[in-house]
Amino acid sequence: MKITSFNPLIVSSKADEVVALFEELGFEKRHAPTLEEVQTAADQDFRLKDANGFAVDVAQQPGVPQDMTIIRMNVRGFDEAYEILTKHGFKNTRGDEILENEHSKAATMVAESGLTIALIEHLK
């Protein structure tokens, strides 16, 4: 298993305000990642990067009572990463269901402490 990227993902009912804050901090919109594979009700999502290459993803999710910060972890070797997280007590928010299509494999994993990791592998 290899981690290919690791960055915060902010889920908010007011994504436009979060994006505006990060733009003021020097981040620029790069592209819209396919976060709907991880957060199924996301209406709109953004990837922002700054001049140093730091990234933050922002997903619009109606109805969330407050912003949630999740770690987005892209990997090569989804099954191994999933097994490691499970071994450490993480639970898939969809039970045993893995979201998979021709482009990616994904699961949102939550620890008992509340630590949440959006685990994603982009398939080639």
Side-chain angles (χ1 to χ4, degrees), residues 6-7 10 12 26-27 34-36 38 42 50 54 83-84 97 99 109 115 119 123:
F6 193 88
N7 61 273
I10 301 167
S12 177
F27 286 76
T34 56
L35 296 177
E36 67 276 1
V38 179
D50 75 355
F54 294 115
E83 184 179 319
I84 290 168
E97 182 183 358
L99 299 174
M109 307 294 289
L115 173 60
L119 178 62
L123 305 172

Side-chain angles (χ1 to χ4, degrees), residues 11-14 41 43 60-68:
V11 179
S12 177
S13 63
K14 299 177 181 177
D43 287 340
Q60 173 73 27
Q61 179 104 28
V64 294
Q66 64 185 42
D67 292 352
M68 296 183 299

Side-chain angles (χ1 to χ4, degrees), residues 38-50:
V38 179
Q39 303 294 69
T40 57
D43 287 340
Q44 194 172 21
D45 40 76
F46 306 94
R47 168 152 291 206
L48 297 99
K49 285 192 175 182
D50 75 355

